[in-house]
Amino acid sequence: MRPRYMKVIRDLTSDYSKNLMLVLAIAIGVFGIGSILGGYAVLSREMNANYMSTAPASATIEIDGDISSTLLDSVRTFPGIKKAERRSTIVGRMKVHERWHPILFFVIDDFEKMEISRFRHISGTKIPTEGTMLVERTALMVMGASEGDAITVRTPHGSQQTLKIGGVVHDPALAPAWQEQAGYGYITMATLKALGENSRFDLLRIQVSENEYARQHITQKAEEVADWLKQRGIEIHEIQVPSPGKHPHQSQMEAVLSIFTVFSFMILLLGSILVATSMATLMVKQVRQIGIMKTIGGSSYQISTMYFFMMLVVCVVAILVSIPLSRLAAFGFYTQIAKLLNLEITDSSIPLRVPFIQIASGILIPMIAAAIPLIRGSRVSVRAALDNYGVSTQKVNRWSTFLSRTSLFTDTYRLSLRNVFRQRSRLVLTLGLLAAGGAMFMTALNVSDAWETNLKRIYTQRLYDQEIRLNERLLPDSVFSVIEAIDGVTKVEGWDFASSSIIKDSKYEITKTYPDKGHGSFSIQALPVPTQLLNPTVVEGQWLKTAGSNEVVLNQLARTSEMTIGDDVLLAIDGKPTRWKIIGFTEDVGSPATAYVSITTFAKIAGSSGKVGMLRIAYSDRSRNNSQNKSREIDDVLEDNNIRVSASIPVWLLHNAVAAHMEVLVNSLLAMALLMAIVGTLGLTSTISMNVLERTREIGVMRAIGATPGTIKSLIVWEGITIGVLSIMIAFVVSIAFSYFMGVFIGNISFRTPLTLTISPIAIAIWVVLITVGSYFASVFPARRTNKVTTREALAYE
């Protein structure tokens, strides 16, 4: 019947503030879903497209020697090999603002015929001439330079020289240079020779012709090639097989985006519960109208259909508003993540499935949530509807009765407390809304604090401030004396290191290292026992205590699930298997997979007895400014004493690099929490409005016997604040569980160790203020509306 739908239109247009609140509640949820799913869809597609556009190598075989062009041509005809190229990678240093930073030089055989590990040219020359280099676009910021500038560099065996930036490229297989605080340069073999290094290609990159995403097949084929090379007298150092077809950060990013997707649907669910509560409020207000419609022949089905149509209109308006806004938010989201991952968005189109999911979820979830109150309200009998006096008759439990009678509270507050528990089902829904928003808000800040607390462990675990990797192993006395003479240096220790891997079923050293030499790497750290510059977090077993033993301690990234204390493990050193006994496991923050051993035993195996390859230096002042100054001073002293350095890494730089990896993700979690908080506050407003409507005649009676407008206002406001306070307590308890879960989740994808459960006092304080203020304003507006109704109108309420 047409009059029914005219009534729906009048209901929708008669109370703009309430209906806008309903639209906003649904719109926030649909907006969140569209923002996350839209960003997820674009990032997943572009991450794969960017990475695969580089034609990444299936495997890289690192040899001791040179790969000749003749040998390369033979490998290209090897059964099962589709493509093969030779490369070389040199870790050097560049001088920026009087301070040395690491720079990774990629030596390309032929810039015109690259088929593996390609990159995209952006500007400048495409082929660098001798004495020039191409630079990855994100490295310009670290270099503090632009195209055409000259950079002072130094390689391990060469002298200090300058290289001109001839062009800029984009290599999406590399992490942003600002994250690693390093430079990326692409040079020819002629330039490498001019820098003073041996002109040889020691990296053989191959692509398999079949089963290109099967790691086992790739490893098997790489071992076959390695066997073939070994038969020709070529020594194999290691075989690198990164995750096939996967960007270094792909697994972590997909996990994070998946959890955000779940949160976005939670926001819509909370908003739908709010709308369901509001529709129930409307049906309470119109209960006599429902009775009249039934009196003149309206069925429960017709009445429920009318209110479902009203819900549909609200949902459609919310969808029309939220979809365009969500696309803008998705743009901002995937743009920031793309910057974090060094991706180029080539196709920003959001798949059609995203708006379809928004439309379907934006209609179905609210409809399902509202189904019970709408059907229940439409089935009210004619007599019950016409006899309704706006007073709730639900029984109050004994506990709430006891609280309302205690002499600890004023009369007004005791009555407010009784009203809070009058409609328990509605109270549970409201508390759920507020508690969910509060729990997520506190969880976001708790996780942020936990992340910062975990990052501080970088300093508490590392009691040194500077790590210097020497170009060649030296006797400690020749180095220590010049460094210990520097004012402010408190301790120097000589360590050693080597890339390694756990040897299982292969005779070769198989690692998961990516071409950037960082992601997926595994190393051995050889240290003096006991050491004074490392404070390990031992989670099982014990730390190294005996110098010269074959004992090893593994960190969480080096440990596999089947390892236990007392097991023997084979570790490759210079391609040779060595046997060690596991005595402990540690949790490291900011370290790759690492095995800790005694430098005495390591020196015997490596044939470097009495020499060290790495220095770790502690300062009396651990501040960043002092570390920067001391780093420059130490670099100058080592340079004056002709002590060659391959890398100099201050601890503060490591801290900043690790922190940059999760900044956007933690901020995104906080944004999701704020959306939940908004929905929760809207839910409280709806609940208080509904409670006031139900008690309209009751309030009229109170006025008739002398209650002032101020008393009525206090009664309603205290009711709202009480609900808010109850939600704070529930939210705090739930936030502990959420914080633990998110800490485990984020910690495992970052360090493979859970973040420490941290309770942020600031988070609690902020939420208490927000919910108290929000509860007040959510209650004061219904109270003001009630006070505008005259006593006669309240007593005559229908």
Side-chain angles (χ1 to χ4, degrees), residues 48-314:
N48 183 69
N50 273 241
Y51 184 63
M52 297 309 295
S53 70
T54 68
S58 303
T60 299
I61 302 174
E62 186 174 337
I63 70 168
D64 292 327
D66 183 36
I67 301 171
S68 65
S69 57
T70 303
L71 183 67
L72 181 62
D73 290 337
S74 299
V75 173
R76 286 170 174 163
T77 62
F78 196 89
I81 299 301
K82 181 170 61 175
K83 296 176 183 177
E85 287 186 4
R86 57 180 183 171
R87 297 281 180 90
S88 185
T89 302
I90 302 294
V91 179
R93 296 201 297 164
M94 60 181 183
K95 201 169 190 178
V96 180
H97 304 308
E98 301 303 317
R99 185 185 172 279
W100 290 100
H101 289 257
I103 182 171
L104 202 58
F105 288 112
F106 299 99
V107 187
I108 309 298
D109 185 16
D110 190 337
F111 279 84
E112 292 183 317
K113 298 180 180 180
M114 284 189 301
E115 294 185 307
I116 300 178
S117 299
R118 301 188 301 251
F119 43 81
R120 183 176 63 88
H121 174 261
I122 295 179
S123 63
T125 181
K126 291 185 177 181
I127 303 175
T129 57
E130 183 177 335
T132 67
M133 63 177 171
L134 304 182
V135 171
E136 212 285 325
R137 62 178 188 175
T138 60
L140 293 174
M141 181 188 302
V142 180
M143 293 176 168
S146 56
E147 184 182 318
D149 292 343
I151 300 294
T152 300
V153 299
R154 186 168 189 174
T155 54
H157 301 95
S159 58
Q160 184 172 306
Q161 299 186 47
T162 59
L163 284 182
K164 183 180 178 182
I165 300 176
V168 180
V169 300
H170 172 222
D171 191 344
L174 298 175
W178 51 266
Q179 278 185 6
E180 308 300 324
Q181 289 296 303
Y184 301 129
Y186 303 83
I187 60 175
T188 62
M189 183 57 73
T191 299
L192 180 66
K193 186 175 181 180
L195 291 173
E197 296 297 320
N198 293 327
S199 54
R200 65 180 189 180
F201 293 101
D202 58 357
L203 299 176
L204 176 63
R205 294 188 176 174
I206 60 173
Q207 285 184 344
V208 296
S209 56
E210 55 186 13
N211 297 326
E212 53 187 341
Y213 298 114
R215 181 181 175 83
Q216 185 176 356
H217 172 75
I218 295 171
T219 302
Q220 179 183 348
K221 190 58 61 178
E223 288 176 332
E224 291 176 7
V225 175
D227 289 337
W228 183 84
L229 292 172
K230 201 167 185 179
Q231 291 172 3
R232 281 149 184 79
I234 298 175
E235 288 297 321
I236 307 299
H237 181 66
E238 72 175 30
I239 299 175
Q240 302 164 4
V241 187
S243 298
K246 281 192 174 183
H247 188 278
H249 291 129
Q250 186 164 335
S251 297
Q252 295 92 327
M253 187 54 55
E254 288 178 349
V256 170
L257 292 176
S258 296
I259 201 74
F260 279 173
T261 301
V262 173
F263 287 158
S264 65
F265 276 95
M266 284 180 61
I267 293 174
L268 178 58
L269 179 60
L270 293 176
S272 299
I273 294 173
L274 164 62
V275 172
T277 305
S278 298
M279 292 303 296
T281 303
L282 180 64
M283 297 192 80
V284 168
K285 181 179 180 180
Q286 297 184 356
V287 64
R288 287 201 170 188
Q289 296 181 25
I290 293 173
I292 294 171
M293 285 189 286
K294 284 197 168 188
T295 301
I296 61 176
S299 67
S300 297
Y301 173 77
Q302 291 173 321
I303 293 171
S304 63
T305 302
M306 181 176 65
Y307 286 101
F308 271 116
F309 178 72
M310 185 184 300
M311 277 285 300
L312 180 63
V313 173
V314 170

Side-chain angles (χ1 to χ4, degrees), residues 572-781:
I573 298 178
D574 293 331
K576 300 176 183 178
T578 58
R579 186 173 296 276
W580 304 82
K581 180 181 180 181
I582 301 174
I583 65 167
F585 298 105
T586 66
E587 283 184 354
D588 295 347
V589 178
S591 297
T594 305
Y596 297 99
V597 301
S598 165
I599 193 172
T600 305
T601 308
F602 179 87
K604 291 178 182 177
I605 296 172
S608 58
S609 183
K611 295 182 178 181
V612 298
M614 180 169 64
L615 304 176
R616 287 190 163 171
I617 307 166
Y619 306 138
S620 56
D621 180 359
R622 303 198 69 184
S623 66
R624 174 173 174 174
N625 288 337
N626 182 70
S627 294
Q628 288 178 321
N629 295 331
K630 291 302 173 187
S631 296
R632 284 193 291 265
E633 190 174 350
I634 289 174
D635 285 338
D636 293 339
V637 168
L638 294 177
E639 184 80 17
D640 293 340
N641 286 270
N642 200 31
I643 297 173
R644 309 299 296 276
V645 174
S646 63
S648 180
I649 308 169
V651 173
W652 67 263
L653 194 66
L654 173 66
H655 175 277
N656 288 1
V658 175
H661 280 72
M662 294 296 291
E663 183 179 355
V664 173
L665 303 180
V666 172
N667 290 341
S668 300
L669 181 63
L670 184 58
M672 300 291 287
L674 288 174
L675 291 179
M676 283 191 171
I678 293 172
V679 173
T681 305
L682 292 176
L684 180 60
T685 304
S686 174
T687 296
I688 297 299
S689 298
M690 187 171 183
N691 290 348
V692 170
L693 278 173
E694 284 185 335
R695 300 198 306 274
T696 300
R697 284 197 173 187
E698 178 182 311
I699 292 171
V701 172
M702 293 173 63
R703 283 184 180 176
I705 61 176
T708 65
T711 302
I712 301 297
K713 177 182 176 182
S714 297
L715 179 70
I716 297 172
V717 168
W718 277 117
E719 184 178 341
I721 292 177
T722 300
I723 295 174
V725 171
L726 289 174
S727 75
I728 291 173
M729 293 185 286
I730 299 173
F732 175 72
V733 175
V734 175
S735 72
I736 295 177
F738 278 10
S739 299
Y740 174 79
F741 169 75
M742 288 302 299
V744 171
F745 175 76
I746 292 179
N748 282 333
I749 66 173
S750 305
F751 310 116
R752 205 187 295 172
T753 181
L755 299 179
T756 304
L757 179 61
T758 303
I759 305 300
S760 171
I762 296 177
I764 299 173
I766 292 176
W767 185 249
V768 167
V769 172
L770 286 176
I771 203 64
T772 302
V773 174
S775 298
Y776 174 79
F777 283 107
S779 308
V780 76
F781 291 122

Side-chain angles (χ1 to χ4, degrees), residues 486-615:
I486 298 174
D487 183 44
V489 173
T490 59
K491 182 67 179 177
V492 182
E493 282 187 357
W495 291 42
D496 212 338
F497 67 98
S499 62
S500 182
S501 67
I502 297 175
I503 298 177
K504 292 183 178 179
D505 303 323
S506 176
K507 53 190 170 183
Y508 298 108
E509 182 178 340
I510 309 292
T511 70
K512 298 180 180 180
T513 309
Y514 280 82
D516 63 2
K517 297 285 188 178
H519 291 88
S521 64
F522 185 109
S523 66
I524 286 181
Q525 298 270 340
L527 53 116
V529 179
T531 176
Q532 298 180 39
L533 296 184
L534 191 66
N535 179 31
T537 304
V538 179
V539 294
E540 189 177 346
Q542 63 181 9
W543 182 242
L544 298 171
K545 294 182 179 179
T546 307
S549 68
N550 70 328
E551 297 170 337
V552 63
V553 175
L554 303 173
N555 73 358
Q556 76 278 8
L557 294 174
R559 181 181 185 178
T560 58
S561 58
E562 66 271 11
M563 289 180 177
T564 59
I565 301 297
D567 288 350
D568 286 344
V569 61
L570 289 177
L571 300 178
I573 298 178
D574 293 331
K576 300 176 183 178
T578 58
R579 186 173 296 276
W580 304 82
K581 180 181 180 181
I582 301 174
I583 65 167
F585 298 105
T586 66
E587 283 184 354
D588 295 347
V589 178
S591 297
T594 305
Y596 297 99
V597 301
S598 165
I599 193 172
T600 305
T601 308
F602 179 87
K604 291 178 182 177
I605 296 172
S608 58
S609 183
K611 295 182 178 181
V612 298
M614 180 169 64
L615 304 176

Side-chain angles (χ1 to χ4, degrees), residues 429-507:
L429 288 176
T430 307
L431 289 177
L433 284 168
L434 289 173
M440 283 306 304
F441 181 84
M442 286 187 273
T443 295
L445 291 184
N446 287 346
V447 170
S448 179
D449 279 8
W451 179 257
E452 290 298 326
T453 300
N454 220 46
L455 288 182
K456 291 177 182 177
R457 293 172 63 190
I458 290 177
Y459 289 100
T460 58
Q461 291 178 344
R462 295 163 178 80
L463 304 181
Y464 59 91
D465 300 284
Q466 189 80 11
E467 177 184 297
I468 295 179
R469 300 194 173 191
L470 303 173
N471 193 43
E472 58 183 4
R473 293 186 175 98
L474 300 173
L475 292 171
D477 293 341
S478 62
V479 185
F480 285 10
S481 57
V482 298
I483 296 178
E484 289 175 338
I486 298 174
D487 183 44
V489 173
T490 59
K491 182 67 179 177
V492 182
E493 282 187 357
W495 291 42
D496 212 338
F497 67 98
S499 62
S500 182
S501 67
I502 297 175
I503 298 177
K504 292 183 178 179
D505 303 323
S506 176
K507 53 190 170 183

